[in-house]
Amino acid sequence: MEQSRSLDEHRQVLAAARESLAQMGDLLHQCGGADLGPLLSEVDALAAEAGGVRCEIVFEASLRGEIREVGKSTREWVYEYAPSQRQGGHAQLAKLVDLTSARAARALGASRSDVFLDPDAPIAIVWGRVVTGEVAPPLALAILTEMDRLTGRLVPEAVPTVTRAMIELGLGCGRATMSELRIRLLAMYGSPDEVEDEQKRLRTSAFLSAPQVRSGELTIYRMGLTPEQASILEAALGPLAKPKPNPETKERDLRSNGQRRAEALSELCSQFAADDADRQGGAAESDATVIVQVPLQTLREHTGAGEVIGSSATGTLIGAETLRKMCCDASIIPAVLGSDGETLDWGRVERLFTRRQRRAIWSRDRTCTYPGCTAPAAWTRVHHVHHWLDGGLTDMDNAALLCQRHHTYVHDKRLWAVVRREPDESGRYVHWDTRPGSYDAYLAKLPENSPWQAA
Ligand SMILES: [Zn+2]
Ligand SMILES: [Zn+2]
């Protein structure tokens, strides 16, 4: 039996083990390839065990007052006698031992298991795994810190379970995940009001910053949501933010994740604004409407920018082309300014497709009309093929459903489409001319008919 050996005999075995290890390097070539792994495990187990005993020895010295007696701190003592720890580790080892001996309640000479008054206290459970070499000092300290934060908030019976769960988690995935686990553990083991209090605290600190408008740059928001709010947002964004490859053209969706999510969010909001405008009986009456002031010259010459007025985004500049795209939406009112700054047109009724018209267009087009796109009608906008700002009419023959992505694309590339009264053999009414600039080519053939040319 091992236990019958005296300490001196054990030290002789240790010396023999060190000697074996020192010679191991020269003998490795004798080891079969498949045995290298198991050999590593053997040496590793020995090293872990040694690490555990190293902690125990420092603990013993601390409890006995040995360290104090020589006028050193635990840290200095470890530094002196455990030179391998000087490269890093001696501070954490010392800190763990100081923490542990402060909470130890044993009389000298007691065995490992009754070092602590309460064997179910986190410190007792953690230390029990330290001395076996399973848990190293950094992880032990991380767990004890987390448990200090948690203990008062848990039902008392759950403390040992949570401590053990923390240890398993730390052994499985490291220290970093420890704090993320806190809220989940609170939900499972917290006192009845704990999670609610935590949620309440989160609710009152949730925020969405006011937009930081910087002309010509991205407008920046900062946002912090409660888990509940975040899950609602993610559920709504998820399907909209997925990459959408084009099955017909095999074109991949090259948008970044961030871009897709931003577009999905704006899609959600414009959908809401459009629905709200419907309920209120028109964009002019809806609170969700964006009003953009735009100089006539901007529209005529495709230069300059419109400016958002009357909302917290006031001052945001919107380029002429984007503005054209937004004019296909019910959720914006372009206020066109004459050269003297007078409002020429508030772009009301005749710009917007009525609900009845939209229903007819939905049932005609069914999906986004861009070749290969199958985005359902509910995700689309009604686009003015001949732009409203260029004098296009708000009627069925000038309308085409486009999903947000293709709506942007069609405006960016300035594409023209032919809208037929009868469907072709594939059932389509709208035929896109996908050559960039086809819209301008079409406009060039028209007599000057822009409503703004004459103004
Ligand atoms: Zn459009
Ligand atoms: Zn589309």
Side-chain angles (χ1 to χ4, degrees):
M1 273 302 283
E2 299 235 335
Q3 294 203 329
S4 60
R5 274 188 193 151
S6 70
L7 181 64
D8 274 342
E9 283 165 337
H10 275 294
R11 289 177 81 166
Q12 283 164 22
V13 175
L14 267 188
R18 278 177 57 199
E19 205 172 306
S20 291
L21 285 172
Q23 289 168 18
M24 193 73 77
D26 289 336
L27 299 170
L28 279 182
H29 65 276
Q30 296 179 10
C31 188
D35 286 334
L36 285 171
L39 176 62
L40 176 60
S41 299
E42 281 167 37
V43 174
D44 184 62
L46 189 65
E49 198 82 48
V53 178
R54 181 165 50 208
C55 294
E56 269 186 310
I57 295 173
V58 181
F59 180 65
E60 185 77 20
S62 166
L63 271 194
R64 286 194 196 178
E66 197 59 39
I67 298 175
R68 228 176 313 121
E69 205 147 289
V70 293
K72 288 190 190 287
S73 67
T74 312
R75 191 175 157 154
E76 289 161 339
W77 197 80
V78 174
Y79 192 88
E80 181 176 348
Y81 289 106
S84 77
Q85 298 298 291
R86 291 178 193 170
Q87 292 164 35
H90 69 286
Q92 279 175 309
L93 169 51
K95 192 173 168 193
L96 176 64
V97 167
D98 286 341
L99 194 75
T100 310
S101 42
R103 296 188 197 179
R106 73 158 190 181
L108 283 177
S111 72
R112 261 186 189 181
S113 52
D114 25 68
V115 171
F116 303 97
L117 218 48
D118 174 8
D120 281 336
I123 188 97
I125 296 172
V126 172
W127 184 250
R129 306 287 290 269
V130 168
V131 296
T132 59
E134 292 166 277
V135 174
L139 177 60
L141 284 170
I143 294 170
L144 290 173
T145 309
E146 277 308 314
M147 287 311 298
D148 274 349
R149 288 193 193 127
L150 272 177
T151 300
R153 305 161 67 182
L154 295 170
V155 288
E157 311 85 81
V159 171
T161 313
V162 172
T163 310
R164 290 190 189 99
M166 286 261 181
I167 293 174
E168 296 319 317
L169 184 92
L171 290 175
C173 16
R175 284 177 279 154
T177 42
M178 210 67 69
S179 57
E180 290 158 27
L181 190 71
R182 196 186 317 149
I183 190 73
R184 215 172 312 155
L185 288 171
L186 274 180
M188 285 164 71
Y189 300 111
S191 340
D193 294 335
E194 220 21 84
V195 177
E196 205 41 50
D197 286 354
E198 187 79 14
Q199 298 286 321
K200 215 178 279 168
R201 185 182 67 74
L202 290 180
R203 246 194 322 273
T204 52
S205 51
F207 69 96
L208 173 58
S209 72
Q212 279 175 36
V213 179
R214 300 172 301 166
S215 312
E217 289 293 334
L218 289 176
T219 296
I220 303 294
Y221 290 85
R222 290 184 61 249
M223 177 160 90
L225 298 182
T226 66
E228 185 193 0
Q229 292 164 334
S231 63
I232 293 170
L233 180 65
E234 289 306 315
L237 282 187
L240 291 172
K242 278 204 206 114
K244 297 185 187 70
N246 187 323
E248 192 159 299
T249 61
K250 303 285 181 250
E251 193 189 338
R252 286 176 34 223
D253 188 344
L254 297 173
R255 295 173 302 161
S256 69
N257 188 37
Q259 184 185 354
R260 281 187 272 113
R261 286 171 60 77
E263 286 177 8
L265 182 62
S266 103
E267 168 74 21
L268 275 181
C269 297
S270 65
Q271 200 115 96
F272 172 80
D275 291 351
D276 194 55
D278 257 2
R279 279 192 297 272
Q280 312 286 335
E285 283 74 31
S286 162
D287 294 337
T289 300
V290 178
I291 301 176
V292 180
Q293 220 166 34
V294 53
L296 181 53
Q297 205 181 3
T298 297
L299 295 178
R300 272 194 192 147
E301 296 168 11
H302 302 243
T303 56
E307 188 173 346
V308 174
I309 59 172
S311 84
S312 58
T314 292
T316 306
L317 296 181
I318 297 178
E321 282 314 306
T322 306
L323 193 63
R324 281 161 184 275
K325 183 178 73 117
M326 290 174 82
C327 281
C328 294
D329 262 338
S331 54
I332 176 182
I333 295 179
V336 179
L337 298 180
S339 46
D340 296 331
E342 77 282 19
T343 302
L344 296 178
D345 188 292
W346 280 93
R348 287 192 188 196
V349 192
E350 68 284 347
R351 180 176 60 88
L352 301 175
F353 290 94
T354 62
R355 198 190 295 209
R356 177 190 277 177
Q357 279 176 313
R358 269 184 290 136
R359 272 202 210 110
I361 299 162
W362 278 30
S363 66
R364 184 194 69 186
D365 289 347
R366 289 170 196 283
T367 62
C368 170
T369 57
Y370 198 81
C373 185
T374 54
W379 293 5
T380 59
R381 293 279 163 276
V382 185
H383 169 67
H384 288 72
V385 174
H386 181 167
H387 301 173
W388 177 81
L389 285 173
D390 294 327
L393 299 175
T394 301
D395 63 30
M396 292 275 293
D397 295 341
N398 191 36
L401 292 188
L402 286 172
C403 69
Q404 169 162 301
R405 181 167 168 232
H406 287 117
H407 194 200
T408 306
Y409 185 81
V410 155
H411 277 275
D412 276 358
K413 301 287 174 194
R414 297 185 64 81
L415 302 185
W416 170 251
V418 175
V419 182
R420 301 222 171 88
R421 294 258 163 107
E422 301 296 329
D424 66 8
E425 62 284 355
S426 64
R428 288 187 183 192
Y429 290 79
V430 179
H431 296 264
W432 285 97
D433 182 343
T434 54
R435 294 167 298 177
S438 57
Y439 180 71
D440 296 298
Y442 159 80
L443 278 192
K445 283 187 239 150
L446 289 180
E448 297 222 327
N449 73 336
S450 162
W452 313 116
Q453 305 287 348

